[in-house]
Amino acid sequence: MPPKKSTWKIAGVIGDPIDHSLSPHFQNALFTSCGLKVLYLPFLVKPEHLGKFLKQAKESRFLGLNITIPHKETILKYLDQIDETALKIGAVNTVVFRRGLLVGYNTDAPGYVQSLKNETGFVPKNKTVLLLGAGGAARAILYILAQQGAYQIYLANRTVSKAVLLAKRFKRFFPKTAMEPLPLTSHSLSKILPSVDLLVNATSIGMGGTQGTKIPLERLPHRSVISDLVYRPILTPLLSQAKRRGLKIHPGWGLLLSQGALSFELWTGIVPRLDIMKKALLDALVLRFINSAPNLFTQD
């Protein structure tokens, strides 16, 4: 008799780089807790190989994918169907393999505002926001904050032309929200910080502890919330600086969990247990920290 075909399916996250991703830790914990035969893996996919990878995945036993840098925008042209919200945002972070079709969604947008409200109590309506970055993640944050009624959103990016295009695109959907592009420099930020209620870092600055443009946080009002989408380290340089100044902070792991939970539900139809996800993620973050700083835990 021929051997039985495996009933296991594959899910995963694709990006370049991908070593930093902690999604496999909590997604595999979820699949196991639900008794599902799904293995979630990280895939290093170079931009020039994206189409080939998706074609091979479509022909294999894939359940779904998460999408990270730099594929959130370029993946759209390879998809068979795109959810309306993801289409408006112009970025996809979740793909569902459904009846031979690749269907794209964006769970960053609802996941972000859900996490922000749960962890800080911040409500975007009638607030002023400073958003750093103009990539796929920034698109999702801009969309959801404007949808939630933000009064003013400043878009700061090193390449100002990208921020200009982003403001022009989303102003069509949200004419009541003022959107102003500006360069990502200490000088330009210093002028608008006294009016900012929420500062969001949607760039990769801070990943692995890297430093970027110095932001004069002392000019922010005490009510301000500092949100960083970077989740490793838990306290990025920006969040550490904000905490020292007594400002309320919103670490990136909150978004990572919320968007991951929504992705899991799209793939399986099951509402996941956030406590299982959170424990697996925080355990992984602690382990990464210990492995990256062994000298802190050894004696002379």
Side-chain angles (χ1 to χ4, degrees), residues 246-276:
L247 299 170
K248 188 176 288 187
I249 63 172
H250 176 232
W253 61 261
L255 167 61
L256 181 64
L257 283 185
S258 293
Q259 62 82 26
L262 293 171
S263 296
F264 183 89
E265 189 172 353
L266 283 170
W267 297 326
T268 66
I270 299 171
V271 177
R273 285 182 51 184
L274 289 176
D275 58 328
I276 292 175

mmCIF file of all heavy atoms in Angstrom, residues 246-276:
data_model
loop_
_atom_site.group_PDB
_atom_site.id
_atom_site.type_symbol
_atom_site.label_atom_id
_atom_site.label_comp_id
_atom_site.label_asym_id
_atom_site.label_seq_id
_atom_site.Cartn_x
_atom_site.Cartn_y
_atom_site.Cartn_z
ATOM 1 N N GLY A 246 8.855 59.985 31.871
ATOM 2 C CA GLY A 246 7.554 59.791 32.500
ATOM 3 C C GLY A 246 6.396 59.747 31.535
ATOM 4 O O GLY A 246 5.233 59.908 31.936
ATOM 5 N N LEU A 247 6.683 59.526 30.249
ATOM 6 C CA LEU A 247 5.629 59.446 29.251
ATOM 7 C C LEU A 247 5.069 58.025 29.166
ATOM 8 O O LEU A 247 5.789 57.056 29.412
ATOM 9 C CB LEU A 247 6.161 59.868 27.879
ATOM 10 C CG LEU A 247 6.695 61.303 27.786
ATOM 11 C CD1 LEU A 247 7.404 61.519 26.453
ATOM 12 C CD2 LEU A 247 5.565 62.315 27.964
ATOM 13 N N LYS A 248 3.827 57.902 28.796
ATOM 14 C CA LYS A 248 3.204 56.587 28.642
ATOM 15 C C LYS A 248 3.736 55.935 27.362
ATOM 16 O O LYS A 248 3.833 56.585 26.321
ATOM 17 C CB LYS A 248 1.687 56.720 28.573
ATOM 18 C CG LYS A 248 0.934 55.400 28.615
ATOM 19 C CD LYS A 248 -0.570 55.619 28.652
ATOM 20 C CE LYS A 248 -1.025 56.151 29.990
ATOM 21 N NZ LYS A 248 -2.517 56.209 30.084
ATOM 22 N N ILE A 249 4.107 54.648 27.449
ATOM 23 C CA ILE A 249 4.704 53.978 26.296
ATOM 24 C C ILE A 249 3.848 52.791 25.823
ATOM 25 O O ILE A 249 3.101 52.201 26.605
ATOM 26 C CB ILE A 249 6.147 53.504 26.588
ATOM 27 C CG1 ILE A 249 6.159 52.459 27.694
ATOM 28 C CG2 ILE A 249 7.046 54.677 26.938
ATOM 29 C CD1 ILE A 249 7.520 51.804 27.912
ATOM 30 N N HIS A 250 4.022 52.466 24.534
ATOM 31 C CA HIS A 250 3.288 51.363 23.905
ATOM 32 C C HIS A 250 4.291 50.538 23.104
ATOM 33 O O HIS A 250 4.587 50.852 21.953
ATOM 34 C CB HIS A 250 2.194 51.933 23.004
ATOM 35 C CG HIS A 250 1.436 50.889 22.245
ATOM 36 N ND1 HIS A 250 1.249 50.944 20.875
ATOM 37 C CD2 HIS A 250 0.802 49.765 22.659
ATOM 38 C CE1 HIS A 250 0.541 49.899 20.488
ATOM 39 N NE2 HIS A 250 0.255 49.171 21.540
ATOM 40 N N PRO A 251 4.850 49.455 23.711
ATOM 41 C CA PRO A 251 5.852 48.634 23.018
ATOM 42 C C PRO A 251 5.265 47.871 21.832
ATOM 43 O O PRO A 251 4.073 47.576 21.776
ATOM 44 C CB PRO A 251 6.328 47.663 24.111
ATOM 45 C CG PRO A 251 5.925 48.300 25.404
ATOM 46 C CD PRO A 251 4.662 49.043 25.102
ATOM 47 N N GLY A 252 6.140 47.511 20.892
ATOM 48 C CA GLY A 252 5.706 46.880 19.650
ATOM 49 C C GLY A 252 5.147 45.482 19.783
ATOM 50 O O GLY A 252 4.438 45.011 18.874
ATOM 51 N N TRP A 253 5.435 44.797 20.900
ATOM 52 C CA TRP A 253 4.937 43.420 21.006
ATOM 53 C C TRP A 253 3.403 43.382 21.088
ATOM 54 O O TRP A 253 2.795 42.363 20.748
ATOM 55 C CB TRP A 253 5.563 42.684 22.186
ATOM 56 C CG TRP A 253 5.316 43.252 23.554
ATOM 57 C CD1 TRP A 253 6.151 44.044 24.280
ATOM 58 C CD2 TRP A 253 4.161 43.045 24.379
ATOM 59 N NE1 TRP A 253 5.588 44.365 25.492
ATOM 60 C CE2 TRP A 253 4.366 43.758 25.577
ATOM 61 C CE3 TRP A 253 2.970 42.338 24.213
ATOM 62 C CZ2 TRP A 253 3.425 43.789 26.603
ATOM 63 C CZ3 TRP A 253 2.024 42.360 25.234
ATOM 64 C CH2 TRP A 253 2.271 43.077 26.410
ATOM 65 N N GLY A 254 2.786 44.484 21.503
ATOM 66 C CA GLY A 254 1.320 44.511 21.568
ATOM 67 C C GLY A 254 0.705 44.388 20.188
ATOM 68 O O GLY A 254 -0.241 43.619 19.975
ATOM 69 N N LEU A 255 1.244 45.143 19.226
ATOM 70 C CA LEU A 255 0.771 45.034 17.842
ATOM 71 C C LEU A 255 1.084 43.664 17.280
ATOM 72 O O LEU A 255 0.243 43.063 16.592
ATOM 73 C CB LEU A 255 1.417 46.106 16.962
ATOM 74 C CG LEU A 255 1.252 45.914 15.448
ATOM 75 C CD1 LEU A 255 -0.223 45.928 15.049
ATOM 76 C CD2 LEU A 255 2.029 46.975 14.679
ATOM 77 N N LEU A 256 2.284 43.154 17.556
ATOM 78 C CA LEU A 256 2.681 41.841 17.038
ATOM 79 C C LEU A 256 1.669 40.779 17.449
ATOM 80 O O LEU A 256 1.246 39.955 16.622
ATOM 81 C CB LEU A 256 4.068 41.475 17.556
ATOM 82 C CG LEU A 256 4.635 40.132 17.084
ATOM 83 C CD1 LEU A 256 4.846 40.133 15.577
ATOM 84 C CD2 LEU A 256 5.950 39.827 17.806
ATOM 85 N N LEU A 257 1.241 40.808 18.711
ATOM 86 C CA LEU A 257 0.260 39.833 19.187
ATOM 87 C C LEU A 257 -1.111 40.053 18.561
ATOM 88 O O LEU A 257 -1.750 39.101 18.106
ATOM 89 C CB LEU A 257 0.134 39.922 20.712
ATOM 90 C CG LEU A 257 1.227 39.283 21.559
ATOM 91 C CD1 LEU A 257 0.845 39.374 23.026
ATOM 92 C CD2 LEU A 257 1.461 37.835 21.160
ATOM 93 N N SER A 258 -1.563 41.297 18.535
ATOM 94 C CA SER A 258 -2.916 41.583 18.044
ATOM 95 C C SER A 258 -3.071 41.243 16.567
ATOM 96 O O SER A 258 -4.051 40.613 16.159
ATOM 97 C CB SER A 258 -3.258 43.057 18.274
ATOM 98 O OG SER A 258 -3.354 43.333 19.658
ATOM 99 N N GLN A 259 -2.083 41.663 15.746
ATOM 100 C CA GLN A 259 -2.192 41.347 14.318
ATOM 101 C C GLN A 259 -2.053 39.846 14.080
ATOM 102 O O GLN A 259 -2.701 39.281 13.200
ATOM 103 C CB GLN A 259 -1.168 42.142 13.501
ATOM 104 C CG GLN A 259 0.297 41.882 13.800
ATOM 105 C CD GLN A 259 0.853 40.646 13.108
ATOM 106 O OE1 GLN A 259 0.346 40.241 12.075
ATOM 107 N NE2 GLN A 259 1.867 40.039 13.693
ATOM 108 N N GLY A 260 -1.203 39.191 14.896
ATOM 109 C CA GLY A 260 -1.025 37.743 14.773
ATOM 110 C C GLY A 260 -2.280 36.975 15.143
ATOM 111 O O GLY A 260 -2.610 35.965 14.527
ATOM 112 N N ALA A 261 -2.993 37.460 16.157
ATOM 113 C CA ALA A 261 -4.244 36.812 16.575
ATOM 114 C C ALA A 261 -5.298 36.911 15.472
ATOM 115 O O ALA A 261 -6.014 35.949 15.176
ATOM 116 C CB ALA A 261 -4.757 37.461 17.858
ATOM 117 N N LEU A 262 -5.373 38.084 14.838
ATOM 118 C CA LEU A 262 -6.340 38.262 13.746
ATOM 119 C C LEU A 262 -5.973 37.409 12.534
ATOM 120 O O LEU A 262 -6.851 36.871 11.852
ATOM 121 C CB LEU A 262 -6.409 39.739 13.362
ATOM 122 C CG LEU A 262 -7.010 40.670 14.421
ATOM 123 C CD1 LEU A 262 -6.826 42.127 14.032
ATOM 124 C CD2 LEU A 262 -8.488 40.359 14.642
ATOM 125 N N SER A 263 -4.670 37.269 12.265
ATOM 126 C CA SER A 263 -4.223 36.394 11.172
ATOM 127 C C SER A 263 -4.624 34.951 11.446
ATOM 128 O O SER A 263 -5.140 34.252 10.572
ATOM 129 C CB SER A 263 -2.704 36.487 10.998
ATOM 130 O OG SER A 263 -2.298 37.771 10.601
ATOM 131 N N PHE A 264 -4.365 34.497 12.670
ATOM 132 C CA PHE A 264 -4.702 33.130 13.070
ATOM 133 C C PHE A 264 -6.191 32.855 12.871
ATOM 134 O O PHE A 264 -6.580 31.796 12.370
ATOM 135 C CB PHE A 264 -4.309 32.917 14.527
ATOM 136 C CG PHE A 264 -4.531 31.516 15.036
ATOM 137 C CD1 PHE A 264 -3.536 30.553 14.912
ATOM 138 C CD2 PHE A 264 -5.728 31.157 15.640
ATOM 139 C CE1 PHE A 264 -3.735 29.256 15.374
ATOM 140 C CE2 PHE A 264 -5.935 29.862 16.103
ATOM 141 C CZ PHE A 264 -4.936 28.911 15.970
ATOM 142 N N GLU A 265 -7.011 33.832 13.235
ATOM 143 C CA GLU A 265 -8.465 33.654 13.089
ATOM 144 C C GLU A 265 -8.866 33.577 11.618
ATOM 145 O O GLU A 265 -9.757 32.808 11.242
ATOM 146 C CB GLU A 265 -9.192 34.810 13.776
ATOM 147 C CG GLU A 265 -10.688 34.615 13.863
ATOM 148 C CD GLU A 265 -11.376 35.659 14.720
ATOM 149 O OE1 GLU A 265 -10.679 36.477 15.363
ATOM 150 O OE2 GLU A 265 -12.627 35.670 14.744
ATOM 151 N N LEU A 266 -8.208 34.360 10.756
ATOM 152 C CA LEU A 266 -8.492 34.297 9.320
ATOM 153 C C LEU A 266 -8.124 32.934 8.743
ATOM 154 O O LEU A 266 -8.827 32.390 7.890
ATOM 155 C CB LEU A 266 -7.718 35.390 8.585
ATOM 156 C CG LEU A 266 -8.264 36.812 8.694
ATOM 157 C CD1 LEU A 266 -7.265 37.814 8.115
ATOM 158 C CD2 LEU A 266 -9.606 36.942 7.973
ATOM 159 N N TRP A 267 -7.009 32.356 9.198
ATOM 160 C CA TRP A 267 -6.566 31.064 8.676
ATOM 161 C C TRP A 267 -7.435 29.911 9.156
ATOM 162 O O TRP A 267 -7.671 28.959 8.419
ATOM 163 C CB TRP A 267 -5.125 30.776 9.104
ATOM 164 C CG TRP A 267 -4.111 31.735 8.591
ATOM 165 C CD1 TRP A 267 -4.115 32.383 7.392
ATOM 166 C CD2 TRP A 267 -2.915 32.165 9.269
ATOM 167 N NE1 TRP A 267 -3.004 33.188 7.273
ATOM 168 C CE2 TRP A 267 -2.254 33.073 8.405
ATOM 169 C CE3 TRP A 267 -2.347 31.865 10.503
ATOM 170 C CZ2 TRP A 267 -1.041 33.683 8.756
ATOM 171 C CZ3 TRP A 267 -1.156 32.474 10.855
ATOM 172 C CH2 TRP A 267 -0.511 33.370 9.991
ATOM 173 N N THR A 268 -7.875 29.988 10.427
ATOM 174 C CA THR A 268 -8.491 28.815 11.056
ATOM 175 C C THR A 268 -9.970 28.965 11.394
ATOM 176 O O THR A 268 -10.653 27.967 11.607
ATOM 177 C CB THR A 268 -7.751 28.474 12.368
ATOM 178 O OG1 THR A 268 -7.958 29.555 13.305
ATOM 179 C CG2 THR A 268 -6.261 28.278 12.129
ATOM 180 N N GLY A 269 -10.464 30.200 11.508
ATOM 181 C CA GLY A 269 -11.822 30.422 11.966
ATOM 182 C C GLY A 269 -11.951 30.308 13.474
ATOM 183 O O GLY A 269 -13.057 30.351 14.023
ATOM 184 N N ILE A 270 -10.822 30.189 14.166
ATOM 185 C CA ILE A 270 -10.811 30.036 15.626
ATOM 186 C C ILE A 270 -10.314 31.327 16.268
ATOM 187 O O ILE A 270 -9.290 31.880 15.852
ATOM 188 C CB ILE A 270 -9.884 28.872 16.058
ATOM 189 C CG1 ILE A 270 -10.380 27.549 15.463
ATOM 190 C CG2 ILE A 270 -9.785 28.781 17.580
ATOM 191 C CD1 ILE A 270 -9.408 26.392 15.662
ATOM 192 N N VAL A 271 -11.034 31.815 17.288
ATOM 193 C CA VAL A 271 -10.571 32.979 18.044
ATOM 194 C C VAL A 271 -9.490 32.495 19.012
ATOM 195 O O VAL A 271 -9.762 31.657 19.886
ATOM 196 C CB VAL A 271 -11.721 33.638 18.825
ATOM 197 C CG1 VAL A 271 -11.198 34.800 19.654
ATOM 198 C CG2 VAL A 271 -12.810 34.110 17.862
ATOM 199 N N PRO A 272 -8.253 32.979 18.881
ATOM 200 C CA PRO A 272 -7.157 32.439 19.683
ATOM 201 C C PRO A 272 -7.144 32.964 21.114
ATOM 202 O O PRO A 272 -7.735 34.017 21.410
ATOM 203 C CB PRO A 272 -5.913 32.925 18.933
ATOM 204 C CG PRO A 272 -6.335 34.206 18.314
ATOM 205 C CD PRO A 272 -7.781 34.013 17.932
ATOM 206 N N ARG A 273 -6.462 32.229 21.967
ATOM 207 C CA ARG A 273 -6.283 32.648 23.355
ATOM 208 C C ARG A 273 -5.053 33.542 23.450
ATOM 209 O O ARG A 273 -3.921 33.110 23.234
ATOM 210 C CB ARG A 273 -6.132 31.428 24.257
ATOM 211 C CG ARG A 273 -7.428 30.687 24.521
ATOM 212 C CD ARG A 273 -7.212 29.514 25.449
ATOM 213 N NE ARG A 273 -6.500 29.881 26.666
ATOM 214 C CZ ARG A 273 -6.117 29.005 27.600
ATOM 215 N NH1 ARG A 273 -6.379 27.722 27.441
ATOM 216 N NH2 ARG A 273 -5.472 29.410 28.667
ATOM 217 N N LEU A 274 -5.287 34.803 23.801
ATOM 218 C CA LEU A 274 -4.188 35.771 23.873
ATOM 219 C C LEU A 274 -3.210 35.461 24.998
ATOM 220 O O LEU A 274 -2.032 35.812 24.908
ATOM 221 C CB LEU A 274 -4.747 37.184 24.039
ATOM 222 C CG LEU A 274 -5.436 37.774 22.809
ATOM 223 C CD1 LEU A 274 -6.026 39.140 23.136
ATOM 224 C CD2 LEU A 274 -4.472 37.894 21.641
ATOM 225 N N ASP A 275 -3.679 34.794 26.059
ATOM 226 C CA ASP A 275 -2.764 34.479 27.153
ATOM 227 C C ASP A 275 -1.693 33.487 26.711
ATOM 228 O O ASP A 275 -0.517 33.600 27.102
ATOM 229 C CB ASP A 275 -3.528 33.943 28.374
ATOM 230 C CG ASP A 275 -4.346 32.692 28.060
ATOM 231 O OD1 ASP A 275 -4.839 32.558 26.917
ATOM 232 O OD2 ASP A 275 -4.482 31.828 28.956
ATOM 233 N N ILE A 276 -2.055 32.537 25.864
ATOM 234 C CA ILE A 276 -1.086 31.571 25.334
ATOM 235 C C ILE A 276 -0.082 32.284 24.431
ATOM 236 O O ILE A 276 1.133 32.061 24.510
ATOM 237 C CB ILE A 276 -1.807 30.456 24.559
ATOM 238 C CG1 ILE A 276 -2.631 29.592 25.510
ATOM 239 C CG2 ILE A 276 -0.808 29.590 23.782
ATOM 240 C CD1 ILE A 276 -3.469 28.532 24.822
#
